[in-house]
Structures are given as C-alpha cells and as structure tokens.
C-alpha cells in the first residue's frame, strides 16, 4: 500500500528517493511522486503508473539535498497524476506526502476550507491546505502542523516540506507506520526500513501521535503536546540481498523456493540447546490460562489461522475460533471468560487486524501476534510476539509467510500441549524436517506444475478448488492465490458443498482442482470429483502418496497428516504462478492489490 520516503543531507536526494520508492514498489501502488527542495524552492514530479514512468519526467538538472517521495494506492480519488502525492498548498509553499485515510476530511473541508480551491479529490490535500491556512492566520509552520494534526481523525504518516525552510522535514504519525533512519551527515524518513536500507540500517520507531522535526544533523521527537521524547535507534536486521530477486524472474518464485529453508530456520529458531521445541514461557502460560482462543487475521493469514485452529484444538485441546479481522468489529461473538487473542499477520501492519487489536486491548484481553516483521505495529501493540523468520516477503501474493505461519502455529500447539502434560504420538521436529524435504521435492517439480497450469488453466474463465477437512482450508488458499495473480475467477469449497448450489456453474471443461491428502475423507472427496466429472468438469486431483489412484494429476510425498497443508499448498502456489505467467500477468505486482493493507 502507500509508501513514504524522505531524505535530508549533503547528497542530491533525487536518486535516493527514487531508489527508495523502487524498494517500496512491492507494496502495491498506482502512482508515484517526489518533491525536492533547494534554495530555489520546491519542485514536484509525479506520475500515474510505475516508478519507471516517474523517472522519465524527473528533471536531471535539478540538484536538491532535501526531498520526500510517495507511492500511492488510491483510496480517495482515482489513480491519476493530479491525485498522486506530493500535494501542495495553493501558494506552493507547503508540500506533503501522506499514508493513511483522513476520515473527517469532508467535515474539515466544509468547516475550514470553503474558500480554498482544491486541485485533487484526495483527503491528503486537505492537510496541506489546512497547514497553509493556519500559517496565513499567523501560526509558524510547526505550530500550524500541530494544529492541523489535532484536527485529523483517522490514520496518517506524513512528511512535510516548507519551501521557506529547506533544512527541515516535518514528520508525524498516527496508526500508519513511519520510521526515521539515522545517518552520519543525513537523516531519512521511511514507511518501511527496506526503502532506505541503501543508506542506513539504524532506525527510530515513531509512535502514534508523535511529531518529529528532522534535519540533516538531528531528529527531535515530541508528542503532539510538545513533550520531548528520547528513543534509542535499533538496527534493521535485514540483509540487502534478501530483498533482491537474484537470478529469479520473479520474487514469488524465489519465495516459493525458499520455503524448505524457512522450515529449517523455524525449527532451528524454536529449538533449545537440547533440541526440544520451545517458546517464551509467558506465551505458554497465556495459552494455558485461556479457556478459548480467538484467531484474528485477513486473507492468506486467515487461511493459515484455519489450519492453526486444527493444531491447537487437536494437539493442545483448547477451543479456537477463527475470525476475519475486517468483520470482527461488527460481529463480536459472545466472548468466553478468559479469551486469548492471536493475531496472524505477515506484515504486522494490516489495519483491519490492528483495529481489532486496539479494541481487544481496550477490553483488557491479552494478545499474541504472529508476524514476519519484528517491531511492526501489531507486534509492538500486542502483549507477546512469535516471529515467522521467513525473511522479507516481497511478492504481493503471500507464499512462504503462509507456510511459516502454519509451522509456527504447529510449534505453539505442540509446546502448549507438552506443558499441559498431553501425550503426542509424533515428534514435531522430525515431522517438520520431513516436511522441509518434501517441499524440496515439490519445488523441483516445477515443470509438472507448469504443464498442469497449461492444461487446466490457460484459457478458462473460472476454476474451483475442493477438499474436505484440512484440505478444504488449503483449497481456499489455492483459490486466493490463483485469483489474485492470474485474475481467473477461482473459489474454494468444501467438497460436499458444491452440490448445494455451485455445481450449477460446472460446464464442459470447468477445471476442478481437488485435494486428496486425508485418508479419513479420501473416498468422499473422490466421490465429489465424480459428481462434477459427470457434469463435464475437468478434474485435476492432487493426492498424497499412499492415497493415490491412477486418475491423479500429481502425488505429493507423504508427511504427517496434520501437516499436509505445509506441502499441499506448494503445487497450488506453483500452478497459480505458471497460470499467471501463461496469461502474461504481472506476477509480483497484481493489479489493484497492495502487499501491506494499511487502510481499513
Ligand atoms: C494474499 C495476501 C493477502 C494477505 C492479507 C493479510 O496473497 O497476501 O491476502 O494475506 O492482506 O496481510 P497480513 O498477513 O500482512 O496481515
């Protein structure tokens, strides 16, 4: 979703800003812009489309040591050059970039800006025009900025330039992520450390309702009421090579291939010196204190939560409910007496999930976040965190984070079960090792999945994924993967559910991708396949060794039945990848999607 960068120092800022924006491309955007400031004032360059389009219009001859930049994912107003950031006040004195959504922008417009001609349809422009209004009424810039911030309702991360002070970037944040990066003779601003890793790995986290005055030699953090805050920087533990594609044509393929490695890393990170799986004792106690667990997540993370429910209920014997975060606020179920909330979020920034977390904390409940991003908002605001250790996931379509989430949930269930004295009939470390090896076998079978994608999905308008039990949940994830990157309309169903309506959509040749990895339902799912074949469907059955029949399109290696989602999803990820390639889609940056969904 939207991204922010800023630089103030001794170097020309243009290239640093543009490179920073390129690092944020993966988050999803539809327009981009930069504003650079020198003694001659501020110059803005913005363009609909890709950073490459923006590069074409940036004037190479302008040299400026201070600048801000933005990638925009449209919320208020269509994607266009006019609506792209940075936005300027009418006199051109103030220039600003903003992430987030200003909920009361219409009210502010009516109350304060009746006589002001607005150029764009964005909520953002209101902010910059308000600052100018207050300055015109006699406030100095910082004062006008503070005054404006106190009026805003909603989420924001803001970087502001004042053409009359080219030695400062004014920064503020509420609910949207923003960091200040520290250098020897410069400082930077970024919504994601990845953007500015090119110049520094030292960052200071900003908290909600803080305002920061950034110059090239100093970073002054204050609350909105003017209280000074001192906060130590942290080192962003990102390896610049983690965020490069290397020899891969797409990040998605690289990240699919990284899954065996991630499995092994997770085993290692969660093992103690005796080789036993371990997690923070406080988390185990919180699990044991809970009479019911509520898993809250969105999209792929929600699908991982559905699998996690099986682990926690079957292994640790604690009842679990799984909820979509964007729905939870309106449909809060009757909570148990001692609930524990588990938030699953790759990015740790998903606004829908964060809104639930804020609510849950207000109600006084404990929360655990399972995330890939240390220091992310959901991690900071929860009581406990479990990390995925999957390395940065750049492709918009989540792959390695999904399997990492499932692996970490299995460890959480196992460690909790042991602490409750429950006997397990398998050794999870060994089983996850077997999973990692099986993942490798599947990643090596790319040609088979390319063939399947060509045979079943190259011309179809729609596709259905079916499965029973845990296979059904993996089918939901397979359908999401396929639709988001190939734009084929794909839906996942419980095997027995098609005949209750959806079977009406089956025509000659409709692809049905069926998962058959569970012995207890093998016959039933094959029965469901027969029902659709009788109506003309083209079945692609992915089964597990030991359960296969001659009609199957691919047989995955055998792993512990509970852990099958970790490997049965890989064929679905690869089939989706190749289907998208065959259809010439932008695999890593599918249309309309953002990697980190920071608006509700
Ligand atoms: C799909 C995908 C999304 C995310 C969802 C939640 O491939 O990536 O469905 O899973 O937006 O994001 P996180 O996990 O960052 O909270």
């Amino acid at each position: 979703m939207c991204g922010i960068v800023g630089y103030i120092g001794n170097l020309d800022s243009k290239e640093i800003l543009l490179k920073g924006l390129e690092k944020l491309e993966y988050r999803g955007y539809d327009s981009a812009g930069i504003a650079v400031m020198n003694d001659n004032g501020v110059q803005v360059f913005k363009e609909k489309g890709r950073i490459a389009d923006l590069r074409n219009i940036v004037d190479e001859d302008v040299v400026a040591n201070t600048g801000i930049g933005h990638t925009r994912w449209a919320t208020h107003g269509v994607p266009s050059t006019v609506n792209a950031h940075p936005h300027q006040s009418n006199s051109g004195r103030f220039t600003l970039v903003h992430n987030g959504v200003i909920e009361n922008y219409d009210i502010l417009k009516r109350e304060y800006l009746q006589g002001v001609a607005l150029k764009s349809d964005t909520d953002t422009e209101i902010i910059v025009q308000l600052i100018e209004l207050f300055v015109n009424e006699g406030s100095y810039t910082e004062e006008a900025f503070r005054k404006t911030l106190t009026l805003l309702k909603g989420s924001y991360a803001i970087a502001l330039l004042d053409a009359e002070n080219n030695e400062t970037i004014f920064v503020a944040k509420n609910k949207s992520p923003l960091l200040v990066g520290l250098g020897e003779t410069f400082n930077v601003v970024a919504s994601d450390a990845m953007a500015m890793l090119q110049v520094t790995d030292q960052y200071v986290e900003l908290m909600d309702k803080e305002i920061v005055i950034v110059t090239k030699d100093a970073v002054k953090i204050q609350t909105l009421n003017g209280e000074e805050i001192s906060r130590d920087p942290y080192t962003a533990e990102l390896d610049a090579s983690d965020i490069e594609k290397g020899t891969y044509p797409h990040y998605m393929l690289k990240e699919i291939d990284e899954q065996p490695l991630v499995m092994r890393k997770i085993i290692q990170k969660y093992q103690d010196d005796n080789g036993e799986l371990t997690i923070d004792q406080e988390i185990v106690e919180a699990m044991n204190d809970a009479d019911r667990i509520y898993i809250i997540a969105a999209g792929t993370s929600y699908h991982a939560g559905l699998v996690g429910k099986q682990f926690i209920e079957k292994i640790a014997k604690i009842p679990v409910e799984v909820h979509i975060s964007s729905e939870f606020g309106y449909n809060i179920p009757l909570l148990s007496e001692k609930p524990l909330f588990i938030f699953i979020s790759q990015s740790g920034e998903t606004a829908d999930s964060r809104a639930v977390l804020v609510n849950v904390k207000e109600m006084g409940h404990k929360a655990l976040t399972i995330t890939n991003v240390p220091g992310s908002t959901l991690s900071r605001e929860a009581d406990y965190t479990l990390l995925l250790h999957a390395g940065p996931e750049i492709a918009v379509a989540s792959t390695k984070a999904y399997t990492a989430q499932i692996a970490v949930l299995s460890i959480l269930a196992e460690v909790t079960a042991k602490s409750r004295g429950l006997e397990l009939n398998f050794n999870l470390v060994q089983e996850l090792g077997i999973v990692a090896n099986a993942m490798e076998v599947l990643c090596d079978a790319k040609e088979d999945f390319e063939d399947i994608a060509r045979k079943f999905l190259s011309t179809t308008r729609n596709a259905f994924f079916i499965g029973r039990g845990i296979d059904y949940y993996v089918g939901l994830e397979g359908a999401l993967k396929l639709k988001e990157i190939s734009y084929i309309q794909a839906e996942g169903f419980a095997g027995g559910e098609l005949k209750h309506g959806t079977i009406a959509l089956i025509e000659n040749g409709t692809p049905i991708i069926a998962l058959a990895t569970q012995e207890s339902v093998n016959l039933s799912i094959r029965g469901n396949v027969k029902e659709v074949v009788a109506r003309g469907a083209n079945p692609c059955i992915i089964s597990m060794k030991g359960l296969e029949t001659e009609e199957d399109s691919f047989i995955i290696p055998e792993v512990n039945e509970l852990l099958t989602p970790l490997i049965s999803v890989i064929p679905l990820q690869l089939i989706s990848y190749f289907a998208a390639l065959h259809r010439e889609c932008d695999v890593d940056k599918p249309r309309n999607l953002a990697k980190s969904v920071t608006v509700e």
Side-chain angles (χ1 to χ4, degrees):
M1 210 148 252
C2 305
I4 287 180
V5 290
Y7 173 87
I8 184 160
N10 293 332
L11 300 175
D12 181 25
S13 58
K14 290 191 310 284
E15 192 51 32
I16 297 171
L17 296 173
L18 288 167
K19 279 214 179 95
L21 291 181
E22 278 164 358
K23 295 287 179 232
L24 294 178
E25 281 194 289
Y26 79 99
R27 296 169 71 105
Y29 70 107
D30 36 52
S31 58
I34 61 169
V36 291
M37 175 163 72
N38 56 23
D39 292 341
N40 303 325
V42 174
Q43 295 224 34
V44 173
F45 306 96
K46 51 187 191 172
E47 191 64 292
K48 186 179 165 196
R50 297 293 182 201
I51 309 294
D53 304 313
L54 173 64
R55 271 187 181 280
N56 288 336
I57 61 153
V58 171
D59 183 347
E60 275 303 309
D61 297 333
V62 178
V63 176
N65 303 137
T66 303
I68 54 178
H70 191 264
T71 47
R72 173 175 189 255
W73 188 84
T75 55
H76 292 70
V78 295
S80 69
T81 303
V82 171
N83 288 335
H85 300 211
H87 288 281
Q88 286 197 295
S89 60
N90 279 349
S91 74
R93 174 171 168 184
F94 296 102
T95 307
L96 170 150
V97 292
H98 160 231
N99 285 355
V101 174
I102 304 305
E103 287 156 12
N104 59 338
Y105 84 105
D106 228 6
I107 299 171
L108 293 174
K109 190 159 85 177
R110 277 200 308 275
E111 279 187 18
Y112 293 89
L113 300 170
Q114 288 282 2
V116 176
L118 299 174
K119 298 180 280 275
S120 73
D121 306 319
T122 63
D123 50 344
T124 301
E125 192 187 343
I126 303 297
I127 311 173
V128 76
Q129 301 289 12
L130 277 174
I131 295 167
E132 176 149 292
L133 177 82
F134 295 138
V135 166
N136 289 343
E137 286 175 359
S139 297
Y140 57 94
T141 301
E142 191 181 321
E143 195 183 5
F145 189 32
R146 283 177 192 281
K147 212 161 166 179
T148 303
L149 295 173
T150 53
L151 293 176
L152 303 181
K153 290 213 166 63
S155 52
Y156 57 76
I158 297 172
L160 166 75
L161 299 180
D162 174 359
E164 293 186 9
N165 170 6
N166 70 7
E167 294 186 348
T168 305
I169 303 178
F170 299 87
V171 168
K173 157 195 154 63
N174 187 44
K175 296 194 202 166
S176 292
L178 198 59
L179 305 166
V180 176
L182 310 180
E184 289 273 302
T185 52
F186 65 88
N187 286 307
V188 295
V189 178
S191 51
D192 183 330
M194 248 187 239
M196 285 295 170
L197 213 54
Q198 43 160 333
V199 289
T200 182
D201 63 356
Q202 294 301 303
Y203 289 88
V204 179
E205 269 174 41
L206 304 184
M207 301 296 161
D208 286 353
K209 306 233 162 118
E210 286 180 349
I211 173 167
V212 193
I213 310 300
V214 184
T215 61
K216 75 182 169 74
D217 314 302
V219 169
K220 194 172 90 189
I221 309 176
Q222 292 184 348
T223 63
L224 276 190
N225 308 325
E227 262 171 62
E228 296 266 343
I229 290 169
S230 121
R231 189 170 298 133
D232 289 336
Y234 69 93
T235 305
E237 285 175 16
L238 283 169
D239 185 338
S241 67
D242 281 351
I243 55 176
E244 301 299 338
K245 273 204 297 261
T247 53
Y248 280 91
H250 297 99
Y251 282 107
M252 184 179 176
L253 195 61
K254 175 176 180 252
E255 288 160 8
I256 291 173
D257 269 358
E258 282 170 353
Q259 291 176 104
L261 210 82
V262 173
M263 278 308 108
R264 293 186 183 115
K265 185 145 180 210
I266 289 173
I267 302 172
Q268 181 210 330
K269 289 277 180 189
Y270 284 97
Q271 249 177 336
D272 65 15
D273 295 342
N274 303 321
E276 294 290 317
L277 289 170
T278 177
I279 53 175
D280 191 341
Q281 193 52 30
E282 276 196 318
I283 299 177
V284 180
E285 279 164 22
M287 290 288 285
N288 283 322
D289 281 351
D291 60 356
R292 183 171 288 261
I293 285 166
Y294 295 83
I295 294 182
I296 311 288
T300 289
S301 298
Y302 170 74
H303 295 154
L306 293 171
V307 176
K309 171 183 160 76
Q310 306 299 311
F311 297 157
I312 297 172
E313 290 193 336
K314 291 198 169 122
I315 303 176
K317 312 283 183 215
I318 307 173
V320 181
E321 289 180 21
V322 190
H323 292 270
I324 294 173
S325 50
S326 58
E327 281 294 302
F328 191 83
Y330 325 107
N331 287 324
I332 298 188
L334 208 51
L335 295 180
S336 65
E337 273 182 23
K338 290 190 283 172
L340 171 68
F341 284 81
I342 300 184
F343 291 84
I344 307 179
S345 173
Q346 187 285 129
S347 63
E349 299 295 347
T350 299
D352 291 326
S353 300
R354 199 229 172 191
V356 182
L357 175 58
V358 170
N359 210 339
V360 158
K361 293 309 299 165
E362 277 167 9
M363 289 191 270
H365 301 308
K366 293 275 187 217
L368 157 68
T369 290
I370 299 182
T371 182
N372 201 24
V373 184
S376 56
T377 306
L378 282 164
S379 164
R380 280 200 320 269
E381 295 182 355
D383 301 276
Y384 324 103
T385 296
L386 287 176
L387 291 176
L388 298 180
H389 300 292
E393 191 179 64
I394 310 283
V396 164
S398 186
T399 52
K400 63 176 178 173
Y402 170 79
T403 43
Q405 286 163 344
I406 292 177
V408 170
L409 283 160
S410 73
I411 292 171
L412 177 64
E414 197 251 27
V415 176
T416 307
K418 276 204 179 140
S419 75
R420 296 159 80 93
L422 295 169
E423 283 289 317
L424 295 185
N425 58 2
F426 59 88
N427 175 324
L428 188 58
V429 172
Q430 261 171 28
E431 298 296 339
L432 287 174
I434 295 171
V435 161
N437 295 343
M439 282 176 158
E440 255 162 21
V441 172
L442 293 169
C443 290
D444 286 347
K446 291 192 183 67
E447 277 176 17
D448 294 331
F449 300 121
E450 177 159 22
D451 287 348
I452 290 177
R454 186 170 290 111
K455 180 168 165 209
F456 291 91
L457 301 170
S458 54
T459 57
T460 188
R461 281 183 303 133
N462 55 9
F464 297 99
F465 289 71
I466 60 170
R468 283 179 178 251
I470 217 161
D471 282 343
Y472 160 44
Y473 303 137
V474 180
L476 292 177
E477 174 57 11
L480 178 60
K481 268 321 64 105
L482 184 63
K483 71 181 120 186
E484 68 184 322
I485 60 169
S486 75
Y487 317 140
I488 294 170
Q489 197 205 338
E491 305 301 337
F493 286 97
E497 190 61 15
L498 276 190
K499 60 182 175 294
H500 296 290
T502 312
I503 204 163
L505 294 175
I506 305 294
E507 294 171 349
N508 256 346
T510 304
I512 296 277
I513 294 150
L515 289 176
T517 74
Q518 305 294 301
E519 192 176 2
S520 56
V521 292
N522 194 25
L523 291 179
S524 329
I525 193 69
R526 288 177 186 281
N528 297 136
V529 171
K530 292 212 160 61
E531 287 160 9
V532 288
V533 168
R535 283 144 185 100
N538 192 12
C540 167
I541 302 175
I542 296 174
S543 65
M544 190 165 77
K545 194 152 174 33
L547 301 176
E548 73 270 29
T549 68
E550 273 180 4
E551 59 196 351
D552 299 351
S553 296
F554 194 88
I555 300 152
I556 61 176
E558 189 177 357
V559 299
N560 182 295
E561 209 174 39
L562 256 188
L563 300 179
T564 52
L566 288 169
I567 63 160
S568 59
V569 76
I570 292 181
L572 308 189
Q573 294 169 342
L574 282 166
I575 290 168
S576 302
Y577 172 78
F578 287 115
L581 270 195
H582 295 157
R583 288 170 173 247
E584 297 182 359
C585 299
D586 189 344
V587 173
D588 283 338
K589 290 178 234 126
R591 70 183 178 210
N592 303 340
L593 293 181
K595 180 70 183 161
S596 187
V597 186
T598 48
V599 293
E600 284 177 36

